[in-house]
Amino acid sequence: MDQDLSLPIIDLVGRKILIVDDDRINLRILGGILKTERYNLTLAESGEAALEAYAAQRPDLVLLDVMLPGIDGFEICRRLKATYGADSAPIIFITAKAESDDVVQGLAAGGVDYLPKPFKPKEVVARIRTHLQSRLLVEQQKHLVEQLSKANDAKNRFLGMAAHDLRNPLASIRGLAEFLSDGTVGPLTPDQLDLVTTIHGASQSMLDLVNELLDLATIEAGELKLALEPHDLAALLEKSVFLNNIEAAKKQTKVTFSRTGESPRPTIDQAKIRQVADNLISNAIKFSPPGSTITVEINGGPDGFGFSVKDQGPGIPDSERDKLFKDFGKLSVKPTAGEKSTGLGLAICRKIVDAHSGSIMAQNLPHRGCEFRVTLPCPK
Amino acid sequence: MKFQGTVLLVDDEAHIRKFIGLILRQFSIPRLLEASNGEEALEIYSREKPDLVLLDVNMPKMGGLETLKQLRVMNPDCVVVMLTSLATRQTIEEAAELGATNYIRKDTPKEEIAAALQETLEANFDLSEENPPSHEPHP
């Protein structure tokens, strides 16, 4: 994302500052220096009074003398941090010039800065402005993050609802088009068949998109629930390969999978991992040139079991690698027969694999094509 | 193998009734009745005593689960298959507890729907040519 580096203008007039010093002359000097800034100043002459005033006022900034009768400045600072945590106002210590140990101790107690006595008016004004601004920026940012997160939830709910209502009509359009094209309701002319096939293809890709949007909305809303049980990985892959070969045959490609040795039984949500396998294999088919082969293999190692899908397609352009697993991250590489892709499939795969505490990665192969590798944690 | 009985298809969406109706053609069902809501389904059921009810879960006003409950009151042995699209596991379990025989996802390809219907018919009815439906119409 592009960043705007200029600071937004934040109005500092009327911001509340608590000044704690047992020396009335210091209080008066600081009041005089800050007069033109038009802050809302509260003064306290002891540690106890400071804690009371803080609780009552909730200032935006505290100027705190180190040497106070009773509770000293460091202790006040620690108590404020302990009581108000990350929300507590920034604390600037007031120290005598030579007290460099104080400075270190003050910063360690949670202070953000120090003002050496005697005061230099311009320095005092500048430091206070800077700390007030950064404090207010952090608050603004928190507020923004909250709003964004609410907006994101609303978007997910909307996506969910829209996708829900689109799904049934789309499934019917697809199904009815199929009935027209397979001659169930009578023969069609070649032109009519061409139109109906187009309707079928378009409704199929819309349905895919809607399904993927729904998946994404479910996952993002934190509603992805895994039904975990040990499952025969080879059996799962065999089914996926068998069904995907139907589509592959239409493009004169083929998907091979050979079951060797004993099949691992990782603890997985069978339907979800099947969805990942289907997605990786159908992607490989989409991007493979006619006559090529897609190889599905089981991998096992100390880190866990998994599988890989290798194709002989164009591979992933280096400059686009970081887009690969992101929502709507379509690459410049195009499917070889004009198939549609939503750019959501791999993002969903990654989220499913993440939910399994597994990993998914992609790499280009030395000569041609690329490999997607999924690793699932070892059964305990 | 042939199903000789009457089927009642209940769904509020006309396109779904049309789609499922076309799938049912391959089973040469002698009599297919349709209802577009729960109330209508109950009314037709009490009059026609169909052998098999295909019942949408998600309908406005009287939903599929409530309709199922009332169908079971009329005839505790009625064979009801729920039609779902995005029904949650909870809904499906609830339907099973209420006595639904099976559920079919109507948003899957027609071959899958046909296979699920075939399975339901084989599991619940005697499909040999000579016999009428094994489920006697309820008095």
Side-chain angles (χ1 to χ4, degrees):
Chain A
M1 212 198 286
D2 289 333
Q3 274 183 330
D4 183 1
L5 294 174
S6 64
L7 287 177
I9 297 160
I10 297 177
D11 189 8
L12 299 179
V13 171
R15 296 296 170 184
K16 292 180 281 184
I17 299 182
L18 171 61
I19 308 179
V20 190
D21 202 320
D22 60 330
D23 184 342
R24 289 196 181 174
I25 296 172
N26 277 341
L27 288 178
R28 204 177 303 151
I29 295 171
L30 282 170
I33 292 172
L34 295 174
K35 197 171 181 186
T36 51
E37 299 289 298
R38 291 153 64 204
Y39 296 131
N40 179 358
L41 302 181
T42 304
L43 309 178
E45 292 180 30
S46 71
E48 290 79 0
L51 291 172
E52 248 172 63
Y54 189 99
Q57 294 278 331
R58 302 303 295 265
D60 298 302
L61 186 106
V62 182
L63 298 180
L64 184 55
D65 188 22
V66 175
M67 295 297 289
L68 289 167
I71 318 168
D72 74 1
F74 300 136
E75 181 56 25
I76 293 174
C77 182
R78 278 189 285 268
R79 287 197 196 177
L80 287 177
K81 293 285 162 193
T83 312
Y84 301 98
D87 277 345
S88 73
I91 294 164
I92 300 178
F93 282 105
I94 300 168
T95 61
K97 203 177 186 179
E99 297 165 331
S100 66
D101 281 356
D102 281 2
V103 171
V104 174
Q105 224 187 320
L107 296 177
V112 291
D113 204 353
Y114 65 98
L115 287 173
K117 283 184 280 194
F119 301 119
K120 292 185 193 130
K122 281 187 183 159
E123 184 185 4
V124 171
V125 167
R127 290 203 189 192
I128 288 176
R129 267 190 205 159
T130 304
H131 288 293
L132 267 180
Q133 280 210 332
S134 72
R135 155 81 166 180
L136 296 170
L137 277 176
V138 168
E139 272 176 8
Q140 263 188 359
Q141 200 183 2
K142 257 193 216 159
H143 182 65
L144 267 177
V145 168
E146 266 167 37
Q147 279 186 320
L148 282 175
S149 142
K150 273 186 201 156
N152 192 42
D153 289 348
K155 177 212 71 183
N156 282 336
R157 277 198 303 277
F158 168 76
L159 268 183
M161 276 187 305
H164 226 234
D165 289 345
L166 287 171
R167 218 155 159 268
N168 284 345
L170 279 172
S172 288
I173 293 170
R174 177 190 65 181
L176 294 173
E178 251 180 297
F179 274 118
L180 274 175
S181 61
D182 69 11
T184 303
V185 287
L188 297 183
T189 67
D191 279 352
Q192 287 168 338
L193 185 62
D194 180 44
L195 293 185
V196 169
T197 309
T198 308
I199 293 172
H200 180 259
S203 53
Q204 178 68 58
S205 48
M206 276 177 79
L207 199 58
D208 290 344
L209 173 62
V210 163
N211 282 336
E212 291 185 347
L213 284 175
L214 264 176
D215 278 345
L216 204 66
T218 310
I219 293 169
E220 289 212 344
E223 286 162 10
L224 176 68
K225 303 219 167 50
L226 298 180
L228 292 173
E229 42 188 65
H231 195 86
D232 184 337
L233 191 58
L236 181 151
L237 291 172
E238 262 168 5
K239 265 184 223 156
S240 177
V241 168
F242 173 77
L243 286 170
N244 275 291
N245 257 320
I246 300 170
E247 210 47 44
K250 291 183 194 164
K251 291 185 68 178
Q252 289 84 48
T253 53
K254 67 170 188 285
V255 189
T256 64
F257 171 66
S258 50
R259 195 180 176 135
T260 48
E262 200 179 319
S263 169
R265 294 179 63 83
T267 304
I268 54 174
D269 183 316
Q270 183 257 127
K272 296 285 186 304
I273 293 298
R274 170 70 193 277
Q275 190 181 345
V276 173
D278 283 346
N279 195 290
L280 294 181
I281 296 172
S282 73
N283 260 355
I285 296 170
K286 273 184 199 169
F287 293 96
S288 287
S292 65
T293 303
I294 292 136
T295 313
V296 179
E297 281 167 353
I298 285 186
N299 320 111
D303 300 337
F305 297 107
F307 59 95
S308 62
V309 179
K310 291 182 198 159
D311 66 39
Q312 297 170 329
I316 304 147
D318 275 342
S319 58
E320 296 178 295
R321 289 187 66 91
D322 57 339
K323 280 210 279 184
L324 204 56
F325 292 104
K326 292 199 176 136
D327 300 348
F328 298 102
K330 282 193 209 182
L331 306 191
S332 59
V333 186
K334 295 278 172 280
T336 45
E339 294 102 322
K340 290 283 185 306
S341 85
T342 58
L344 288 172
L346 286 176
I348 292 167
C349 284
R350 170 143 92 195
K351 284 168 184 167
I352 291 174
V353 173
D354 280 352
H356 281 82
S357 311
S359 67
I360 181 167
M361 48 159 269
Q363 60 179 17
N364 286 330
L365 296 169
H367 300 295
R368 191 171 167 65
C370 66
E371 172 184 12
F372 282 82
R373 186 181 279 252
V374 173
T375 307
L376 301 161
C378 270
K380 285 175 206 104
Chain B
M1 284 226 304
K2 213 170 165 190
F3 178 66
Q4 303 281 352
T6 301
V7 175
L8 171 58
L9 171 58
V10 190
D11 198 302
D12 59 314
E13 292 184 286
H15 56 84
I16 299 280
R17 296 199 301 275
K18 202 156 269 177
F19 177 46
I20 305 281
L22 278 166
I23 296 172
L24 286 169
R25 272 201 195 179
Q26 73 189 74
F27 299 98
S28 319
I29 286 167
R31 213 157 151 251
L32 175 63
L33 307 169
E34 291 185 17
S36 59
N37 59 58
E39 291 84 350
E40 200 186 341
L42 293 176
E43 193 254 318
I44 294 177
Y45 190 90
S46 66
R47 203 177 58 226
E48 306 285 341
K49 308 284 187 294
D51 303 284
L52 171 66
V53 182
L54 303 177
L55 181 58
D56 182 27
V57 170
N58 212 344
M59 292 187 291
K61 288 195 280 185
M62 189 190 287
L65 292 180
E66 180 56 32
T67 311
L68 171 63
K69 226 182 267 178
Q70 303 210 16
L71 283 173
R72 303 278 299 176
V73 173
M74 279 189 210
N75 175 9
D77 297 323
C78 65
V79 182
V80 180
V81 172
M82 305 309 288
L83 298 175
T84 72
S85 56
L86 283 169
T88 58
R89 191 173 282 264
Q90 192 193 341
T91 307
I92 289 164
E93 279 168 9
E94 211 175 315
E97 269 166 38
L98 289 172
T101 311
N102 198 355
Y103 74 95
I104 290 178
R105 289 191 52 165
K106 58 187 175 181
D107 55 351
T108 51
K110 63 184 171 63
E111 291 77 13
E112 276 182 49
I113 298 176
L117 280 168
Q118 176 77 34
E119 210 175 282
T120 302
L121 292 178
E122 281 169 9
N124 293 284
F125 301 97
D126 180 0
L127 298 183
S128 51
E129 299 273 348
E130 313 84 59
N131 293 331
S134 62
H135 276 262
E136 290 300 317
H138 204 253

